[in-house]
Amino acid sequence: MAVVSHFHSSSLLSSSMRASFLLGFWVTLLLPELAASVTRHYTFNIDYLNVTRLCHTRSLLSVNGKFPGPRLVAREGDRVVIKVVNHVSNNVSIHWHGIRQLTSGWFDGPSYVTQCPIQTNQSFTYNFTITGQRGTLLWHAHISWLRATIYGPIIILPKRNDSYPFPKPHKEIPILFGEWFNTDPEAIISQALQNGAGPNVSDAYTINGLPGPLYNCSSKDTYRLKVRPGKTYLLRLINAALNDELFFSIANHTLTVVEADASYVKPFTAATLFISPGQTMNVLLKTKPFFPNATFLMTARPYFTGQGAIDNTTVAGILQYKHPSQPIKNLTLLPQPTLPPINATTFVANFSANFKSLANAKFPANVPQKVDKFFFFAVGLGTNPCPKNMTCQGPSNTTKFAASINNVSFALPSVALLQSYYFGRSNGVYKTDFPAKPLNPFNYTGTPPNNTNVSNDTKVVVLKFNTSVEIILQDTNILGAESHPLHLHGFNFFIVGQGFGNYDAKKDPANYNLVDPVERNTASVPSGGWIAIRFFADNPGVWFMHCHLDVHTSWGLRMAWQVQDGTGPNQKLQPPPSDLPQC
């Protein structure tokens, strides 16, 4: 039995925590055995909102009139119930990115994978329990490119009476990186898919929805983080950008990384961070002991090694010590951090290697020590032929850009995969013969093959419950080597190895970390390299895996896993909810 608490999604963290505390206080007095579990109710209204950035006003899709969207706050162990009501003309679904969704796959959110999208004037109630996770995650739309503006933070506090495994911060602050488009992102991707070209890039990056003083017409739209001297702040960093991995730094300050993707890590310090779309990171900022009127820029800009166009601009916010005695006249003259060059692949690899799980008695790292199923996935770009009697703007005028895993460019079905699987109607919807390795091996990081065409199909991998899985994710040099942040729904995985060049099955496993590898839900396949990940398939359902650069997902760099029920009572997919949207 759970205690029910109603939280409006507009509540601030402090008021939510205050309400939780008061509720928990009385519950503990009256019903101590129930104090551990709370049900938190939210309503998310999807609606239009006029927003002006860079002197451009446009109508965008938002939740509860906020951009970025409202905070979802809960404790580990809580049940969260969110009614999503669609008031716009677009079909919408929401993904609770990184939430494990144990046996509750109906509420994971990717359109045409676990559900049909919510149609205009319809609603759907997501209902899940947060199990074994604490830290920062994010929620975002999961259809086409709607997550460009429909996104917000998920803040998971530890269980009541549990403490952080690091010093208690003075204050906790979400920092969301995003992208701003002067035109509708839906029109951008629609045009690109039609003509086969790379889509137009964003016009700015944002911190908490604001581009900052380094862009024209934006000095008033600058995020300010106000701090006191000699205090420790927990910054909850979220990369919600559509298509860009980012470097981030605060001038004259270092940061201590303590958590990644809602899993604690062994703390390490860094002056510059690297964060991919879909990744989250909790970092401690210890402010200087005495700074009466100091102000510093904090900036983010992209990492990119590919061949296409990119938004190569810099977003800036202000770290402002209270209370400056003088107003700031020229924001661009403030101390500014030095970020790595745009293609700093070695920096990215070295930074990523710092992440290790706590791997202690309270927070163990349950890494699969043996592997039941091994997969080798070659990921990267490719081409589709241009339709007859049409000139395309892809790599050539006879081709369109595409992307694939093992040369399969995944086509989303017109009904949801999970419904098809659950009701035994998969015939004609998807096939179960997704290739476990490339059908035509080649020198993945060397000279690319002459034929760059991909196959287009809807195929999944079928796994028995609790199978231990290892996947080698190998970048390919077709149309240029590029980093790919791969996100696995429904699971966390351990990154047990990484390297440059082609994976070597004879030599590379000897260097695996099977003791304290980092546990994540999103990880970047290195540009011109590979990563090895392991996980237990302990969550029944159908689970999406895709590149979190939305342009690559749109081109087909995506697939799905079908995990069968186990024999135990808590090892079976729950029946579908009565309000599950119809296609």
Side-chain angles (χ1 to χ4, degrees):
M1 182 175 173
V3 178
V4 177
S5 74
H6 290 270
F7 282 118
H8 293 293
S9 49
S10 55
S11 3
L12 295 174
L13 179 59
S14 55
S15 59
S16 294
M17 289 175 70
R18 197 159 53 242
S20 300
F21 176 79
L22 290 172
L23 176 74
F25 176 75
W26 288 111
V27 166
T28 307
L29 282 179
L30 301 172
L31 300 163
E33 75 279 7
L34 303 183
S37 173
V38 173
T39 298
R40 301 182 187 245
H41 289 265
Y42 288 83
T43 300
F44 277 18
N45 286 296
I46 313 284
D47 222 327
Y48 298 104
L49 177 70
N50 283 339
V51 174
T52 303
R53 298 286 185 269
L54 313 180
C55 283
H56 285 258
T57 302
R58 70 178 184 87
S59 176
L60 51 79
L61 304 188
S62 68
V63 171
N64 296 353
K66 292 177 174 287
F67 169 68
R71 302 175 189 188
L72 192 157
V73 184
R75 286 192 182 278
E76 179 188 349
D78 285 352
R79 170 173 282 195
V80 183
V81 179
I82 310 118
K83 182 178 183 181
V84 177
V85 189
N86 183 10
H87 302 285
V88 301
S89 59
N90 305 71
N91 290 345
V92 176
S93 67
I94 304 284
H95 171 48
W96 318 95
H97 181 113
I99 297 285
R100 286 289 317 272
Q101 298 288 1
L102 289 164
T103 73
S104 60
W106 302 104
F107 305 111
D108 189 45
S111 289
Y112 304 107
V113 179
T114 58
Q115 67 167 96
C116 300
I118 307 163
Q119 298 179 29
T120 307
N121 297 324
Q122 301 291 308
S123 68
F124 177 46
T125 299
Y126 295 86
N127 183 341
F128 53 85
T129 299
I130 298 171
T131 306
Q133 295 180 281
R134 77 295 301 166
T136 303
L137 295 169
L138 72 152
W139 57 264
H140 61 76
H142 211 302
I143 182 169
S144 189
W145 280 20
L146 295 193
R147 75 176 184 87
T149 58
I150 299 179
Y151 64 87
I154 300 176
I155 294 167
I156 308 172
L157 303 169
K159 288 180 179 175
R160 195 170 303 285
N161 302 323
D162 266 13
S163 57
Y164 293 128
F166 47 81
K168 188 175 188 300
H170 171 66
K171 200 173 179 185
E172 304 183 4
I173 298 141
I175 303 277
L176 289 84
F177 303 107
E179 285 183 271
W180 170 262
F181 294 81
N182 286 335
T183 52
D184 179 12
E186 288 301 281
I188 291 173
I189 184 57
S190 174
Q191 180 186 28
L193 291 176
Q194 191 173 354
N195 64 26
N200 291 342
V201 300
S202 55
D203 295 283
Y205 298 106
T206 57
I207 296 176
N208 291 348
L210 301 168
L214 304 183
Y215 294 101
N216 287 337
C217 190
S218 294
S219 58
K220 70 179 191 314
D221 293 325
T222 299
Y223 174 69
R224 292 170 185 267
L225 172 54
K226 295 182 178 177
V227 297
R228 296 183 183 279
K231 301 285 186 187
T232 298
Y233 293 81
L234 180 70
L235 306 184
R236 296 177 175 271
L237 305 179
I238 297 169
N239 187 348
L242 210 59
N243 286 314
D244 292 284
E245 302 179 290
L246 296 170
F247 298 116
F248 172 68
S249 184
I250 302 176
N252 298 6
H253 291 72
T254 55
L255 300 163
T256 302
V257 180
V258 293
E259 177 255 313
D261 293 2
S263 293
Y264 294 132
V265 298
K266 290 186 170 75
F268 68 93
T269 58
T272 300
L273 308 178
F274 170 73
I275 185 165
S276 292
Q279 288 188 333
T280 58
M281 209 180 290
N282 279 2
V283 301
L284 298 177
L285 165 68
K286 196 165 183 353
T287 56
K288 310 280 185 187
F290 179 72
F291 257 124
N293 58 356
T295 314
F296 302 89
L297 283 185
M298 45 186 181
T299 60
R301 77 165 181 232
Y303 162 68
F304 183 66
T305 62
Q307 305 293 311
I310 186 143
D311 177 359
N312 190 12
T313 61
T314 303
V315 58
I318 291 175
L319 180 73
Q320 186 171 324
Y321 281 75
K322 296 179 179 177
H323 300 270
S325 56
Q326 300 292 325
I328 308 158
K329 290 191 171 62
N330 191 340
L331 300 179
T332 57
L333 297 180
L334 293 175
Q336 191 170 334
T338 303
L339 292 174
I342 192 169
N343 60 352
T345 295
T346 303
F347 175 93
V348 168
N350 291 340
F351 179 77
S352 302
N354 287 318
F355 287 85
K356 302 278 197 307
S357 289
L358 281 185
N360 58 23
K362 186 169 185 181
F363 302 107
N366 298 315
V367 192
Q369 297 295 313
K370 68 176 186 64
V371 174
D372 299 326
K373 290 279 187 183
F374 177 86
F375 298 90
F376 184 98
F377 285 175
V379 300
L381 303 188
T383 57
N384 274 322
C386 193
K388 283 184 177 173
N389 304 320
M390 182 177 165
T391 301
C392 289
Q393 298 171 27
S396 73
N397 61 12
T398 60
T399 57
K400 290 182 162 194
F401 277 106
S404 68
I405 300 175
N406 281 355
N407 210 50
V408 178
S409 187
F410 189 89
L412 283 177
S414 56
V415 295
L417 296 172
L418 186 59
Q419 283 166 286
S420 307
Y421 162 60
Y422 186 84
F423 293 109
R425 299 179 194 145
S426 62
N427 202 12
V429 178
Y430 66 88
K431 301 168 188 167
T432 56
D433 60 346
F434 192 94
K437 60 185 181 183
L439 300 180
N440 298 300
F442 59 98
N443 183 357
Y444 305 106
T445 54
T447 305
N450 292 329
N451 184 359
T452 60
N453 281 350
V454 301
S455 65
N456 300 276
D457 216 331
T458 309
K459 296 175 180 245
V460 307
V461 174
V462 178
L463 295 172
K464 288 183 176 172
F465 183 84
N466 216 32
T467 301
S468 60
V469 177
E470 179 175 325
I471 314 169
I472 304 302
L473 294 161
Q474 172 74 59
D475 183 36
T476 60
N477 204 20
I478 301 173
L479 305 184
E482 193 173 338
S483 177
H484 297 282
L486 263 290
H487 171 48
L488 176 60
H489 290 230
F491 303 92
N492 283 352
F493 53 77
F494 293 94
I495 304 175
V496 297
Q498 66 175 43
F500 288 116
N502 295 338
Y503 171 76
D504 187 326
K506 293 194 176 98
K507 296 179 183 171
D508 288 325
N511 297 317
Y512 280 4
N513 174 6
L514 300 177
V515 177
D516 62 351
V518 68
E519 187 176 353
R520 300 204 78 138
N521 64 60
T522 305
S524 287
V525 181
S527 178
W530 56 272
I531 57 170
I533 67 172
R534 287 187 181 184
F535 67 96
F536 287 106
D538 57 359
N539 196 2
V542 177
W543 304 103
F544 209 26
M545 188 171 86
H546 61 98
C547 184
H548 224 272
L549 304 178
D550 270 21
V551 58
H552 293 171
T553 300
S554 299
W555 287 339
L557 212 168
R558 53 196 180 190
M559 55 82 68
W561 305 86
Q562 177 185 306
V563 179
Q564 297 172 340
D565 282 351
T567 54
N570 298 321
Q571 299 175 352
K572 291 179 168 50
L573 177 66
Q574 299 164 17
S578 59
D579 64 338
L580 192 69
Q582 300 302 306
C583 285

